[in-house]
Amino acid sequence: MSWDFEHQKNVTAVTLNELRESGDLASGAMVTLDLEFLPVEGADAEACAKALKTFGYEVEVHEDGMIAASIDNVPLTLDGVWLQEERATKIVLDRGYEPDGWGFWEP
């Protein structure tokens, strides 16, 4: 099955718009973006973690196989978040993982 990147980006855009409209989004804020990925059939946690680290992500593999990846200094904009989200998603899909969401600590 191929991944629906257009849908994923649209969900990210809606989320950021909701944050902006609620006043919870500081314009131009830089954040540490946290991404979560869940294992599916054929998941290779070691290979996935290694690949994410190669691209500058801090990675933690949980006992249940979930992978948490973080990267600093991401502009809290659609382009900033999507650049990291799309890159990480492409990395993990090839290694048996799927995205499960993203978040950040308040700047």
Side-chain angles (χ1 to χ4, degrees), residues 58-72:
E58 291 183 28
V59 178
E60 184 178 329
V61 180
H62 295 247
E63 286 184 27
D64 64 358
M66 190 270 286
I67 290 181
S70 299
I71 192 156
D72 294 331

Side-chain angles (χ1 to χ4, degrees), residues 73-86:
N73 298 317
V74 175
L76 199 51
T77 63
L78 179 57
D79 289 340
V81 172
W82 181 244
L83 174 72
Q84 299 304 326
E85 190 179 5
E86 181 182 34

